[in-house]
Amino acid sequence: MFRPAVAALVLMLAIFAGNSSAQSLQTRAADIRAAMGARDFERAEKLVRDLRAADVVVFTRNNYDYLLARLLERRGATAEATPLYLGLINRNSVLAEYALWHLAAIARASNDLALERQYITRLIGSYPSSALVTSARDRLIQSLRESGDYRSTISMLRPIASVTGARGRTAMAQLGEAYARAGDAASARATFNQLLTARDDAALAASIGLDALDKAENIKPNEFDALRRARVYLANRHWAEARAHLVYIVEQFPESPNRAEAIYQTGFTYYREDIQDEAIKWFERAHEEFPAKKEGEQGYYWVASALQKARRYEDAARRYMDFIAAYPESESLESAYRNVVDSLRYAGKDAEAIEWSRRIQKDFAGRPLSVVGLFNEAKIELARNNFEAAFQLFTRLQAQPAYPKLLSAPTRGEANFLRILTLELMGRLDEAARAYLTLPDERDNYYGRRATLRLQALLQTEEGRRRIEPLARIYRDQARAAFRAARYSEAKDAATQALRIITDQNAQYELLDILRASYAHLPQYNITSRYRLIPAARPVIADSKPTMDASHASLAAELLFLGLYDEGATELRLGGFVARASDGESDGESSPRKPLAAQSGDVAYSLAVYSNRGDQAGHAIQFGEPIARSVPQDFRLELLPRDLAELIYPAPYRDALLRYAPRLEVDPRLMLALARQESRFNPSVKSAAAARGLVQFIQETALKLAAEEGIKNFELDDVYEPEIAIRLAVRNVADLSKEFPNNPYAVAAAYNTYDTNVERWIFRSRSTDIDRFTAEIAIPETKDYVAKVMSNYWAYQQLYASDLKPLR
């Protein structure tokens, strides 16, 4: 009579055991994904191996062999990874197409190009809708080229080659090269010539290809072709190649209407290569032969610039003065006036420099250049430590309009900041401290942040503490009282000010708590996570058959389940999200699905988050920056919801950054600050100045750094690869840091322009003071660049430790 009860008990125990087992598997899966999310790959590998030892069926059913293979491949254990990838293919896993792609990469790394092509060909044939197909075809073409099979290369390139579109033009350039390698010079020429209507990478490749054909056939181009190629080379900063064509035009076509351009631009190529004696000869020649032409006028002007770069400062000043007299209507007249002052300052002739500064103010009264004259006079007095005179001049300058895009002009807020700086330098610390505190320390407010840093530096001195600590107590007490009285806006402002000048950690915690609580009562500051992260990973498959659905959405769910966000985010952007039954959850069985609204804010947010986790931070920042504009500028960054903060300041490529930066004593956060400003984390971008990739390398810098790093067979297009770009950029920053030790401001400036410019600006300041140096930065773009990079750097320092782990 007890049998039904016993049976019921046995059933309940079975159900409990089953539920417990399922729960255990879910916990294991969550732990693996958490390790992958934290980039703790060693732990992830251990957890996956433990699961395989515990239950190989579940291990295989959930495609954990693919994850294990990825982890092994990542650390170079390709011999162990290969059979795992093959197993995925043999059982026709939904991830077989990705297994083929990685096997091809392993074959390529071992220089087995034939095997690589077998895998790629199978991938393309078996999975024509794969997200990998375009990359696979590109790699197949490259493999064929590297193997010398130019006939097959040509047949693959013809259907996609085009004179329009980046991909079509790239294929067109490769097609021309394949024709040339195959010995079909006529087809190669015809193909290359079609690309010379632009000045992009494809046009550059075409120019190089045409030059090689000319050399092989021992023929010379006509004047039109030579000039066209020269212009392409100039646009891409290939100075020597451009010069060869320009000199050829000068020598072979003496009556050419392009002679003036050819002579002048020849001088310019020498100038860019810092061969100033030759540059001067060609600039002088342009002026002597064509004094009434634009090229002749500019040749006369650029002689002075070349003299200045050659450190012949007095000669440069005289030439600029002569230019002013010779070309009083020139568009370069204002630049000549500015450079007279600069050259005199470099020559140590301060009195004459002040005289010319005052002449600028007089001759250009009521015009923007007069502000430059006044600013120059103020900076000279500051450099001479005539602080009272500098204070009076900066006070006058503060009342003038701002022209932030004008060479040598102060940026917005700079004159006021420098006026306060002179108060500090005169020892008027009470006035300086109170004045610094009037500059709000806000996100992207460079001078407000610099004011805080100067206050904090003063607090390290006995006199500074005596003057500033009473102010800190006043603000702290005001914050407490205002908060108790529910005057939350006042409490916010007082706490924000107090945090700038309080060094006690416990007091800082208290003030942050007041801020956090005050924010909650202020609608525009009550910023919570505005969006819901849509679950995109599939659930654990415990005892059912794995899905065979190879749609982009299903592949995304599969890859994100494994914590492989790099590949999963790409599939997600192609296939979107799907909603599952039971309020978006699944019991592990196949569930009915429906597409989610493409325009949903949660969808855009979730795509950004998953892309960010997959080192595709360009997509994250596109979502994050518009949100940042709606956040009050004085909102403390460390109090911003972490998910939003990481979309505004992503930290991608951690593996590469931590591989290269620490060994050269470079802060990875500074590298992120540079990359954020240079490309917004877009690794394929090319600027109008022919700077390429994630951290925007120009040709001469990239080649020099690749040689330093010992990278063999380096090609300029390699800088579009994030790993290589980061490696070179770290080396560049390390070199600049040796040149400008403990000065990331100077490093950022040199990264944007030339280190010789930075050396001159430091020399002009006659000081190691950061703010006296940055005031001397004459190029508006560079001064703005330094401000933005340093603002980025401060943000990254608030959000991430030096090993790029989140600080909260």
Side-chain angles (χ1 to χ4, degrees):
M1 67 179 191
F2 294 105
R3 286 181 183 175
V6 171
L9 178 62
V10 169
L11 179 60
M12 288 177 64
L13 289 172
I15 292 172
F16 176 79
N19 289 340
S20 176
S21 176
Q23 184 62 39
S24 173
L25 180 54
Q26 290 172 5
T27 300
R28 283 178 182 267
D31 288 346
I32 291 169
R33 195 155 55 245
M36 291 296 294
R39 308 184 78 81
D40 188 347
F41 301 118
E42 184 176 347
R43 173 170 167 75
E45 183 178 335
K46 180 183 182 304
L47 291 170
V48 173
R49 287 185 183 277
D50 288 347
L51 176 60
R52 180 170 63 174
D55 193 333
V56 70
V57 174
V58 168
F59 169 86
T60 305
R61 181 179 292 148
N62 284 276
N63 287 315
Y64 277 116
D65 44 351
Y66 180 72
L67 175 57
L68 181 56
R70 284 288 311 275
L71 291 166
L72 290 165
E73 184 185 359
R74 178 186 175 278
R75 63 179 178 83
T78 56
E80 191 178 351
T82 296
L84 291 168
Y85 285 134
L86 288 170
L88 287 151
I89 296 166
N90 292 336
R91 72 168 186 269
N92 198 26
S93 163
V94 72
L95 295 178
E97 62 194 79
Y98 278 91
L100 285 164
W101 178 247
H102 286 280
L103 285 169
I106 291 171
R108 177 168 70 255
S110 64
N111 205 33
D112 190 341
L113 298 182
L115 181 58
E116 177 195 19
R117 290 195 295 277
Q118 288 180 29
Y119 286 130
I120 292 177
T121 302
R122 183 172 174 183
L123 191 163
I124 294 170
S126 301
Y127 305 97
S129 300
S130 172
L132 299 166
V133 163
T134 298
S135 297
R137 284 188 177 132
D138 289 345
R139 185 53 223 169
L140 181 56
I141 290 166
Q142 183 64 22
S143 183
L144 290 166
R145 290 167 65 203
E146 292 171 3
S147 299
D149 187 351
Y150 301 116
R151 180 172 296 181
S152 297
T153 303
I154 290 167
S155 68
M156 287 201 68
L157 285 168
R158 275 177 178 158
I160 59 174
S162 170
V163 294
T164 60
R167 177 169 167 75
R169 288 180 61 80
T170 298
M172 194 85 161
Q174 293 173 344
L175 180 60
E177 179 194 355
Y179 279 131
R181 295 286 182 88
D184 188 349
S187 295
R189 281 187 184 279
T191 303
F192 285 142
N193 276 315
Q194 293 180 70
L195 292 169
L196 296 185
T197 55
R199 299 181 186 180
D200 57 5
D201 286 354
L204 175 62
S207 297
I208 294 170
L210 287 165
D211 283 353
L213 290 170
D214 286 351
K215 183 177 180 180
E217 298 176 30
N218 195 27
I219 62 175
K220 300 291 184 181
N222 59 39
E223 180 191 354
F224 171 77
D225 287 337
L227 185 62
R228 192 163 62 156
R229 293 181 213 170
R231 288 170 174 167
V232 170
Y233 284 130
L234 287 170
N236 286 277
R237 306 177 72 93
H238 282 238
W239 309 123
E241 293 88 341
R243 184 165 57 243
H245 285 290
L246 294 166
V247 172
Y248 169 72
I249 292 169
V250 172
E251 293 176 347
Q252 299 299 318
F253 304 96
E255 303 302 319
S256 168
N258 301 306
R259 181 177 178 83
E261 177 186 351
I263 293 173
Y264 167 72
Q265 292 289 7
T266 297
F268 193 76
T269 64
Y270 281 119
Y271 177 84
R272 285 300 190 189
E273 290 186 320
D274 206 20
I275 308 172
Q276 301 308 331
D277 287 344
E278 286 299 315
I280 289 167
K281 290 177 185 177
W282 284 89
F283 286 143
E284 290 280 28
R285 184 173 176 181
H287 177 255
E288 289 166 2
E289 291 193 28
F290 305 97
K293 278 194 165 190
K294 188 71 173 178
E295 291 86 356
E297 174 192 313
Q298 287 300 300
Y300 198 62
Y301 176 88
W302 282 93
V303 166
S305 297
L307 288 166
Q308 192 183 76
K309 284 199 77 173
R311 302 177 189 270
R312 294 167 56 183
Y313 298 124
E314 291 189 52
D315 291 341
R318 282 194 294 271
R319 171 49 73 97
Y320 283 124
M321 294 176 194
D322 291 344
F323 178 84
I324 289 168
Y327 293 96
E329 304 299 323
S330 172
E331 293 178 358
S332 300
L333 188 68
E334 293 188 1
S335 293
Y337 271 95
R338 278 192 295 264
N339 279 302
V340 168
V341 176
D342 289 347
S343 297
L344 290 171
R345 291 188 67 191
Y346 294 137
K349 295 182 174 294
D350 287 348
E352 292 180 48
I354 288 176
E355 180 184 337
W356 271 85
S357 296
R358 291 172 177 170
R359 179 174 171 180
I360 290 172
Q361 295 172 60
K362 178 182 176 182
D363 292 354
F364 295 88
R367 294 159 64 182
L369 194 66
S370 65
V371 175
V372 173
L374 181 58
F375 191 36
N376 277 333
E377 185 179 357
K379 289 187 295 182
I380 294 168
E381 297 293 9
L382 180 61
R384 298 167 81 185
N385 293 331
N386 292 336
F387 300 133
E388 183 62 45
F391 176 76
Q392 297 300 329
L393 289 164
F394 284 127
T395 300
R396 284 175 52 198
L397 189 64
Q398 187 183 355
Q400 298 296 315
Y403 301 101
K405 296 187 181 298
L406 184 65
L407 280 167
S408 300
T411 56
R412 286 187 178 88
E414 185 174 12
N416 185 37
F417 175 80
L418 293 172
R419 182 187 66 83
I420 302 169
L421 172 64
T422 57
L423 284 174
E424 178 192 335
L425 296 173
M426 284 189 285
R428 294 160 61 177
L429 297 188
D430 283 328
E431 294 174 77
R434 291 177 185 278
Y436 279 138
L437 285 166
T438 66
L439 304 180
D441 187 352
E442 300 173 327
R443 189 176 67 255
D444 300 331
N445 185 335
Y446 174 79
Y447 292 113
R449 182 60 179 169
R450 281 302 308 160
T452 297
L453 292 174
R454 293 204 76 94
L455 286 165
Q456 291 172 354
L458 285 171
L459 280 165
Q460 302 304 309
T461 68
E462 184 177 347
E463 180 67 13
R465 283 195 299 275
R466 189 171 68 83
R467 304 300 182 96
I468 297 172
E469 284 183 347
L471 291 173
R473 287 193 292 272
I474 289 170
Y475 280 120
R476 184 184 61 188
D477 292 344
Q478 182 184 352
R480 289 169 170 170
F483 184 75
R484 285 195 298 268
R487 299 193 304 272
Y488 299 116
S489 182
E490 180 184 340
K492 169 189 71 70
D493 292 342
T496 297
Q497 290 288 63
L499 281 165
R500 300 174 72 176
I501 49 178
I502 279 184
T503 56
D504 180 75
Q505 195 171 67
N506 289 329
Q508 289 174 347
Y509 289 150
E510 178 194 4
L511 288 163
L512 286 171
D513 286 341
I514 290 174
L515 262 187
R516 188 181 290 107
S518 296
Y519 286 170
H521 291 280
L522 298 170
Q524 67 271 41
Y525 289 84
N526 188 11
I527 298 170
T528 57
S529 293
R530 305 175 181 181
Y531 305 99
R532 177 181 70 93
L533 183 65
I534 301 170
R538 66 156 174 82
V540 176
I541 302 172
D543 54 9
S544 60
K545 292 183 179 180
T547 180
M548 298 307 294
D549 177 9
S551 67
H552 293 301
S554 290
L555 284 169
E558 194 74 26
L559 291 160
L560 295 177
F561 164 76
L562 296 172
L564 293 168
Y565 296 100
D566 52 350
E567 294 169 340
T570 300
E571 293 287 354
L572 195 62
R573 288 196 301 275
L574 290 171
F577 293 84
V578 291
R580 300 176 185 274
S582 305
D583 195 26
E585 298 299 328
S586 172
D587 58 6
E589 302 295 333
S590 297
S591 305
R593 303 195 197 191
K594 57 182 179 179
L596 294 174
Q599 301 304 314
S600 163
D602 289 344
V603 168
Y605 165 75
S606 299
L607 282 170
V609 169
Y610 292 126
S611 296
N612 200 23
R613 293 179 185 176
D615 276 352
Q616 297 161 22
H619 298 281
I621 207 168
Q622 284 177 7
F623 181 86
E625 284 202 311
I627 293 176
R629 289 193 284 271
S630 69
V631 175
Q633 283 291 313
D634 65 343
F635 197 105
R636 294 282 297 197
L637 192 59
E638 65 266 43
L639 298 182
L640 195 66
R642 184 74 199 190
D643 60 340
L644 296 181
E646 291 193 1
L647 294 179
I648 300 169
Y649 296 100
Y653 311 118
R654 296 181 189 184
D655 293 348
L657 285 166
L658 295 177
R659 185 177 304 119
Y660 300 115
R663 69 181 173 91
L664 294 177
E665 299 181 345
V666 171
D667 188 343
R669 296 169 296 186
L670 178 57
M671 302 308 305
L672 288 169
L674 288 163
R676 186 181 189 276
Q677 183 58 31
E678 288 286 355
S679 68
R680 287 300 189 269
F681 300 113
N682 180 354
S684 62
V685 70
K686 181 180 178 182
S687 77
R692 297 166 168 85
L694 186 70
V695 277
Q696 292 289 275
F697 279 115
I698 57 175
Q699 179 199 212
E700 50 263 46
T701 304
L703 294 175
K704 176 181 81 72
L705 294 168
E708 284 185 35
E709 281 290 294
I711 300 176
K712 296 180 180 179
N713 303 316
F714 176 79
E715 296 181 1
L716 189 55
D717 281 355
D718 290 344
V719 299
Y720 291 120
E721 292 293 330
E723 175 90 10
I724 292 177
I726 288 168
R727 181 177 178 182
L728 298 185
V730 167
R731 169 63 66 179
N732 195 22
V733 169
D735 291 347
L736 293 172
S737 296
K738 290 177 183 176
E739 194 170 351
F740 307 108
N742 303 313
N743 191 344
Y745 302 78
V747 169
Y751 198 97
N752 180 256
T753 178
Y754 295 96
D755 53 355
T756 52
N757 286 340
V758 177
E759 289 169 0
R760 288 201 295 267
W761 295 329
I762 292 174
F763 171 79
R764 277 198 326 217
S765 74
R766 301 179 191 173
S767 171
T768 57
D769 188 300
I770 292 297
D771 297 305
R772 294 170 72 168
F773 151 64
T774 55
E776 295 290 356
I777 298 176
I779 304 171
E781 175 194 333
T782 301
K783 187 175 284 188
D784 180 65
Y785 180 86
V786 170
K788 288 177 176 174
V789 167
M790 291 308 300
S791 293
N792 290 344
Y793 189 29
W794 296 325
Y796 279 111
Q797 288 175 315
Q798 285 180 277
L799 293 170
Y800 301 92
S802 59
D803 61 0
L804 300 183
K805 291 181 179 177
L807 283 176
R808 58 179 175 86

